[in-house]
Amino acid sequence: MICQDYLTGAHSMDIPQETMDREVQAILDKIQANPSFNPDQLFDPAKHLAWKDEYYDEIKKFTLQELGITKTHTKPINNFGATYPFPLLTEEAIDIMKWEAFQPKVVKKYARLTNPDFSLKTNRHDFHIAGYPEEGHAPFTKSVYDHPRLKEIFSKLIGMEVTTTYGYDVNHVNVALADFDLPKDAPLYEPSKDENGNTVFKAEETGSILGQHYDSTSIACVVMWECPQDKGGETVIITGDEKPLVIPNIARPGYCTLLQARVIRHIATKPNTNSNRIATVAGYYPAAPVLDNSCLTSVRPSILPRSVHDEFYTEWFDFRFHQLERVLADKRKKLWQAYKQGKTFDQKDVIEFSKECQEYLVESWREMEFATNAPYPPPLFSKPYSELSYNVEGN
Ligand SMILES: [Fe+2]
């Protein structure tokens, strides 16, 4: 039954008409009420970029080592850990992106409710939208992520050249909307306090769109569209000593946070008041011809209903096969170069390389529903870093 549902578009998780007519429509009405709003344009850095180059030195950044993470479950792309939120896009840019994402035809076709099995305290106001920019429904949004200036900024901050991953994981929208039947900003639950009355973070009590997890792409670029101030909704990093590091909620619409989310355990919390929290995530990976460390764990259709089966897997295998093609082409070139330079053919190296490619192919299909029905969340999501097997270089 479940299988039939996700094979045919996961329509049991469609957004209820009531949510479309009330909360979603209210977002569009608010944007449209701005007389200078113009959705018919493409991204122009001079107009839509809030970033300033002095931020390279000013924003707070962490390496994996500074987060105390010395062991990971897979090879990190480098030692980059995370940034605090920094201004990236203007409010005008965010309004256009929101306008494109919340069009009724987009929500109808590309949005699905959050899977209630894997999130805490979610309801009909919690959903994801993805895949629509790649299919031509969001020219502005697509032009933002395609722009070389964005890639340049992220590459400098991360310390290696990066580029966006396959379309489905570029501009994935996490939506948690305020319920119109409750007073705006009313507390949804009391935050936990310690014996001195200070607010403390407890993962098991905090509402979240996704509980403690690793992302399935190498780097997560989180761009805020709406966020309550000082009312929850933060990103929480679990550091190497298993303690929560709450990234301060200084984000405003258009602020961005970068995180090596494939190897840093983290939580996206829900606001603890009746407020909207809308955040987008774009996946990035190294631009060089190397085999990426992305996976299917949290994005496969049976886990994340917004991943519509036929489209998602076509994109996924297009991405993975293309990666392999690039890596094989690069290796072929290097083999001939070595031969022409009179070097001895390195059998050991080619065996290792072939094994890596073999493993990459296996990783590409291992988590598909046809091959596995592994429980979710996987045990890995709650395993302490100290029990992981990969030693981070530089420790
Ligand atoms: Fe995440």
Side-chain angles (χ1 to χ4, degrees), residues 14-33:
D14 280 351
I15 312 309
Q17 194 60 42
E18 188 189 355
T19 306
M20 303 263 286
D21 292 343
R22 300 174 78 194
E23 288 86 358
V24 171
Q25 190 56 45
I27 291 173
L28 296 174
D29 291 346
K30 197 173 164 199
I31 297 170
Q32 212 168 12

Side-chain angles (χ1 to χ4, degrees), residues 96-108:
I96 305 172
M97 291 168 93
K98 256 160 67 179
W99 177 259
E100 291 180 333
F102 287 102
Q103 289 303 309
K105 65 171 195 269
V106 170
V107 176
K108 214 173 174 69

Side-chain angles (χ1 to χ4, degrees), residues 210 213-215 220 259 261 266 268 281:
L210 287 166
H213 67 282
Y214 295 106
D215 280 8
L259 185 69
H266 61 282
V281 189

Side-chain angles (χ1 to χ4, degrees), residues 114-115 118-120 122 128 172 174 206-215 266-270 281 298-299 303-304 376 381:
T114 300
N115 191 334
F118 313 127
S119 45
L120 274 175
T122 55
H128 306 286
H172 159 98
N174 277 331
T206 305
S208 63
I209 293 180
L210 287 166
Q212 279 196 54
H213 67 282
Y214 295 106
D215 280 8
H266 61 282
I267 303 167
T269 66
K270 269 187 61 127
V281 189
S298 59
V299 288
I303 300 300
L304 190 61
Y376 188 90
F381 285 6

Side-chain angles (χ1 to χ4, degrees), residues 32-74:
Q32 212 168 12
N34 176 355
S36 63
F37 175 66
N38 170 21
D40 299 320
Q41 52 180 320
L42 293 179
F43 179 69
D44 174 0
K47 209 170 149 196
H48 301 121
L49 202 61
W51 168 266
K52 294 191 175 75
D53 279 351
E54 52 258 38
Y55 297 159
Y56 284 126
D57 299 322
E58 289 172 7
I59 61 169
K60 196 164 169 57
K61 282 194 288 179
F62 299 92
T63 61
L64 290 176
Q65 286 81 359
E66 284 163 348
L67 292 169
I69 297 173
T70 56
K71 288 183 148 200
T72 51
H73 66 93
T74 188

Side-chain angles (χ1 to χ4, degrees), residues 219-232:
I219 296 279
C221 154
V222 180
V223 176
M224 275 295 166
W225 284 5
E226 284 193 36
C227 41
Q229 293 286 300
D230 306 318
K231 291 168 189 156

Side-chain angles (χ1 to χ4, degrees), residues 49 51-63 77-83 86 88 147-163 219 256 258 284-287:
L49 202 61
W51 168 266
K52 294 191 175 75
D53 279 351
E54 52 258 38
Y55 297 159
Y56 284 126
D57 299 322
E58 289 172 7
I59 61 169
K60 196 164 169 57
K61 282 194 288 179
F62 299 92
T63 61
I77 63 165
N78 66 1
N79 284 335
F80 171 78
T83 68
F86 56 86
L88 180 72
H147 203 281
R149 182 77 173 110
L150 237 68
K151 287 177 191 166
E152 182 197 331
I153 294 166
F154 295 160
S155 298
K156 274 198 188 171
L157 288 170
I158 292 164
M160 95 190 312
E161 200 188 330
V162 292
T163 188
I219 296 279
C256 171
L258 295 169
Y284 279 78
Y285 72 100

